Amino acid sequence: MFERVLIANRGEIACRVIRTCRRLGIRSIAVYSEADANALHVREADEAWPIGGSRPQESYLRPEAILEAARLSGAQAIHPGYGFLSENADFADAVAAAGLAFVGPSGASMRKMGSKAGAKDLMQAAGVPVVPGYTGAEQAPAALLAAADNVGYPLMIKAAHGGGGKGMRIVRSHEEFLPNLESCQREARNAFGRDRVLLERYIEQPRHIEIQIFGDTHGNVIHLGERECSAQRRYQKVLEESPSTFLTPELRARMGAAAVAAGRAIDYVNAGTVEFIVAPDGSFYFMEINTRLQVEHPVTEMVTGLELVEWQLRVAAGEPLPLQQDQVTMRGHAIEVRLYAEDPDRGFLPASGRIEALRLPAPSNGVRIDAGVETGDAVTIFYDPMIAKVIVHASDRRSALARLADALAASEVVGPRTNLAFLERLIRHPVVVEGRIDTGYLDRHLEEFIGEEESGDTDGAATASRMRILAAAAAAALATEVPVVNLASDDRASPWAIADGWRIGHDDPRRLSLGLLGERYDLAVAIEANATRVATDDASALVEGPRVAGGWLSARIDGTALRWRVQVFDDLLVLHDGARRNRLQRLPAYQHGSSVAVGVGDKVTAPMPGRVVLLRVAVGDVVAQDQELLVMEAMKMELALKSPRAGTIESIGASVGDFVEADAVLVRLAPVT
């Protein structure tokens, strides 16, 4: 076994590999960019080496810098994680040429599988069913358009060297093809350095099911069961689980055998994933092989009880696989969701900034947390905005969903916006609960998962529900806050030094102002006989026996006993009743007024920090409402910014290649006359 392993990655996966190295007694060596100098993976590693600037092209995508760090640190092997250089055949060859072990397949295997086009041709020759399409080398737009017309619509354009949902577009007509091709190729160049694409016939309402395979240098190849990843948004996986609710035992066996055959066909070594698209009638088609560890590998670990990163290291060190196929067993059900810094209500725009507070459930036998950040860390604009993966395991799927709901309810992020509420709505939606979701459902019905939830209550019932939340928040605030000290008093032990509004005979109503769903509520909190009255201008509630203990608030509100999960931060109270999360901001008292949305009818601003990659207009151009004006790149994705109204371009505030901050004015429209 190795003594020193360098991890050529960052964030959650780097931390994940470091943990296994530490358990095995292997010294872990991290690398970091300028933006990651204080990152969690740097702090957790036994040592860490700088490799360049903040952008991936200046650091994590520089093979020569990583190999130099490996040489200087005395590493014997390099684990690439996922993303970045993990599926770069030239890098794998360079690692081997430097006399180091690459924790992954050989460059030769990668070249066969690294191109989606080449992989499809190889699988077709091996008798594995593939989706009809075009994988040719001719990449001229006219030739691709002709091929698209021949394949038929709808079809999908896919980056041949891509992954992670980047460089993919669905095209439903001849007229849509060329604009989508241009965007897809540009995104592929930026993300992967190559812009070759392939075309596939698009299968409506499919399932996405992948098989985890493992091979060693002794000729053994086995599979470790399937993961279903059908819950996707814009080709990005949102929820992964095992076993699949869709597969029959017969179909599972056939897909497992096909995956193993694919691995044997290319002499596959180490961890890999064979991905299939499965039609509603159960017919399945090869999509691609990911020649690396997958983000969702913990799902397989939870149901098999195996440690895949340890397997990777042992195989890379020349050891045979620890198990044969008939020794692999599955138990229970596992589910994973990805907690991201992103804003679902603004098109899932990635968010960035300092994490003021991060609370995640305590790990246990049934709950696992794989995180890449801690409280005080920053989510930067340069990399994927994943905060953590929440993985649960239980004896059956229903219990696993319940455990996941509880784990998410115990989570909270203060700082960047997150998809936490979106995930909670997702896992209790009928299509997920019943196991019916297909890969396009979220995109077709996104309104069911974002925005303020409709309660279905009458106005009166909604007012009562809102009052109940306010009363619970007031009880939590009063039960947990430290009494305010009267700084004018020199005697801190005196009861007169506590400025809590107490007076002889009765307490003066305490004033507490809270913000809920954009509305301000000024509460009067008065102590009555054995209870507390919480009132607004138009409603009130009686709170009896409030108690906060172990993160839970219990109280009787208007006679009904209630229990809420409660989290208290400096100016934030988070209440969770098991189904809904209520975030209440503590506001300064006696400060009236409400927020007013700033009109942007004459300007287009940057929704987040990023780089301008394309300008489609010039000063003086006449544009229509919703016409695309420019394209930004941020956090490995492209954002198309459109005109808020018809008008004339008055000024442009950035050029192609410029880096711009959030809210920077990029385009101004001439005033309407």
Side-chain angles (χ1 to χ4, degrees):
M1 179 53 73
F2 309 113
E3 296 180 357
R4 302 171 67 86
V5 172
L6 183 143
I7 300 109
N9 217 296
R10 64 174 304 280
E12 172 270 324
I13 185 57
C15 295
R16 164 73 184 88
V17 177
I18 288 168
R19 288 195 299 273
T20 294
C21 286
R22 182 163 292 124
R23 185 175 58 79
L24 296 176
I26 299 170
R27 188 168 180 82
S28 58
I29 303 163
V31 293
Y32 64 91
S33 68
E34 290 177 0
D36 276 342
N38 298 311
L40 180 60
H41 77 280
V42 176
R43 303 195 301 269
E44 289 198 342
D46 293 310
E47 59 185 272
W49 295 73
I51 53 172
S54 297
R55 298 179 62 207
Q57 296 88 338
E58 301 166 346
S59 51
Y60 299 106
L61 290 175
R62 292 179 61 211
E64 69 283 0
I66 292 170
L67 288 169
E68 179 65 5
R71 184 185 69 80
L72 293 172
S73 64
Q76 300 163 302
I78 293 181
H79 193 302
Y82 50 70
F84 295 133
L85 295 171
S86 63
E87 295 182 276
N88 187 304
D90 293 338
F91 179 60
D93 287 346
V95 171
L100 306 175
F102 182 78
V103 185
S106 67
S109 290
M110 280 194 197
R111 286 188 178 87
K112 295 175 182 178
M113 291 292 102
S115 164
K116 290 184 175 67
K120 286 190 65 175
D121 291 343
L122 182 61
M123 291 300 105
Q124 191 168 22
V128 178
V130 300
V131 180
Y134 173 78
T135 59
E138 178 56 63
Q139 295 286 297
L144 288 171
L145 178 60
D149 291 341
N150 184 56
V151 171
Y153 301 94
L155 61 78
M156 180 178 288
I157 308 173
K158 300 173 70 172
H161 301 279
K166 301 294 187 298
M168 301 173 69
R169 301 289 187 276
I170 295 176
V171 181
R172 296 190 176 278
S173 69
H174 173 94
E175 292 73 22
E176 293 179 6
F177 183 80
L178 290 178
N180 279 280
L181 173 65
E182 178 187 1
S183 176
C184 183
Q185 289 177 324
R186 184 172 56 250
E187 190 171 88
R189 277 194 302 271
N190 291 334
F192 314 113
R194 290 174 282 186
D195 63 1
R196 180 177 174 179
V197 301
L198 57 86
L199 310 178
E200 288 182 351
R201 187 67 183 270
Y202 183 66
I203 297 175
E204 300 282 2
Q205 299 186 5
R207 299 289 190 116
H208 180 132
I209 295 175
E210 58 191 32
I211 307 292
Q212 176 73 62
I213 63 169
F214 237 102
D216 62 22
T217 56
H218 303 269
N220 302 307
V221 181
I222 65 173
H223 75 84
L224 304 179
E226 85 277 5
R227 298 182 292 258
E228 177 157 1
C229 311
S230 298
Q232 300 181 12
R233 188 196 64 82
R234 298 173 72 177
Y235 320 119
Q236 293 277 11
K237 298 169 185 175
V238 176
L239 179 149
E240 301 98 355
E241 62 182 310
S242 181
S244 166
T245 62
F246 182 76
L247 298 190
T248 63
E250 185 271 337
L251 182 55
R252 177 176 291 112
R254 286 199 293 125
M255 292 181 69
V260 169
R264 290 190 182 281
I266 59 171
D267 299 318
Y268 197 84
V269 172
N270 220 274
T273 302
V274 185
E275 302 202 353
F276 295 98
I277 193 167
V278 185
D281 64 0
S283 56
F284 64 93
Y285 305 95
F286 171 86
M287 285 200 300
E288 60 183 329
I289 297 183
N290 288 302
T291 54
R292 55 172 167 80
L293 196 67
Q294 292 280 87
V295 178
E296 56 272 20
H297 77 273
V299 170
T300 296
E301 292 184 323
M302 297 290 264
V303 295
T304 62
L306 305 175
E307 219 272 37
L308 300 194
V309 173
E310 179 179 346
W311 275 38
Q312 284 193 292
L313 293 169
R314 292 192 180 281
V315 165
E319 297 183 21
L321 291 177
L323 299 176
Q324 297 298 314
Q325 186 68 69
D326 59 2
Q327 296 174 300
V328 177
T329 58
M330 314 287 176
R331 64 176 186 85
H333 200 97
I335 308 174
E336 174 183 300
V337 293
R338 309 178 188 190
L339 177 59
Y340 278 108
E342 62 185 8
D343 189 348
D345 293 334
R346 298 181 65 197
F348 290 84
L349 281 178
S352 60
R354 183 176 183 271
I355 297 176
E356 303 295 335
L358 175 61
R359 294 186 183 173
L360 297 169
S364 65
N365 288 336
V367 178
R368 169 175 165 177
I369 303 296
D370 284 11
V373 291
E374 293 178 329
T375 295
D377 289 343
V379 178
T380 79
I381 64 170
F382 299 104
Y383 315 114
D384 187 274
M386 184 191 292
I387 294 173
K389 300 184 303 195
V390 181
I391 313 103
V392 298
H393 180 263
S395 59
D396 54 58
R397 189 171 187 268
R398 181 176 179 179
S399 299
L401 283 170
R403 182 163 288 169
L404 180 56
D406 190 60
L408 292 177
S411 303
E412 185 58 53
V413 182
V414 180
R417 293 291 302 272
T418 74
N419 65 339
L420 189 51
F422 165 77
L423 293 176
E424 291 189 295
R425 292 180 70 171
L426 174 74
I427 65 170
R428 66 174 187 262
H429 193 285
V431 296
V432 172
V433 173
E434 298 166 13
R436 297 185 286 108
I437 197 165
D438 63 76
T439 60
Y441 189 91
L442 283 177
D443 290 326
R444 296 194 307 270
H445 304 280
L446 195 56
E447 72 284 351
E448 298 173 6
F449 301 89
I450 61 174
E452 184 179 347
E453 293 189 66
E454 296 293 334
S455 66
D457 295 333
T458 64
D459 289 344
T463 300
S465 176
R466 185 165 56 250
M467 192 64 231
R468 182 173 291 182
I469 294 169
L470 294 170
L478 295 179
T480 56
E481 73 177 8
V482 177
V484 178
V485 175
N486 180 1
L487 298 180
S489 172
D490 294 328
D491 185 3
R492 298 302 176 89
S494 168
W496 309 109
I498 305 300
D500 60 357
W502 178 87
R503 61 178 61 184
I504 295 175
H506 64 89
D507 286 343
D508 196 37
R510 182 74 174 272
R511 298 293 174 180
L512 179 64
S513 297
L514 296 172
L516 174 63
L517 296 175
E519 297 289 333
R520 178 190 178 93
Y521 296 91
D522 292 307
L523 308 181
V525 183
I527 303 297
E528 299 183 2
N530 302 317
T532 300
R533 174 72 57 181
V534 179
T536 63
D537 289 339
D538 58 357
S540 69
L542 190 66
V543 182
E544 301 173 278
R547 184 169 182 263
V548 174
W552 291 90
L553 165 70
S554 58
R556 296 188 307 279
I557 299 178
D558 288 337
T560 302
L562 298 170
R563 186 169 183 260
W564 305 69
R565 188 185 294 274
V566 61
Q567 300 192 62
V568 182
F569 303 93
D570 289 342
D571 59 352
L572 180 68
L573 285 159
V574 183
L575 297 170
H576 203 297
D577 64 2
R580 295 187 187 179
R581 181 182 308 268
N582 294 279
R583 306 176 94 244
L584 298 101
Q585 202 78 19
R586 293 206 243 191
L587 304 175
Y590 310 110
Q591 179 178 319
H592 294 279
S594 58
S595 59
V596 179
V598 178
V600 292
D602 291 331
K603 62 183 179 182
V604 175
T605 59
M608 63 183 298
R611 187 169 59 91
V612 177
V613 297
L614 183 66
L615 285 173
R616 295 198 181 276
V617 293
V619 173
D621 286 357
V622 176
V623 297
Q625 182 175 343
D626 293 328
Q627 180 177 331
E628 187 174 293
L629 305 181
L630 60 100
V631 177
M632 287 180 59
E633 178 192 26
M635 289 184 167
K636 303 199 304 183
M637 66 180 290
E638 285 197 352
L639 311 172
L641 304 187
K642 299 179 180 181
S643 178
R645 64 171 176 83
T648 303
I649 303 297
E650 181 179 69
S651 64
I652 297 176
S655 302
V656 173
D658 285 354
F659 182 87
V660 296
E661 296 294 340
D663 300 321
V665 178
L666 303 179
V667 177
R668 288 189 183 274
L669 298 173
V672 177
T673 57

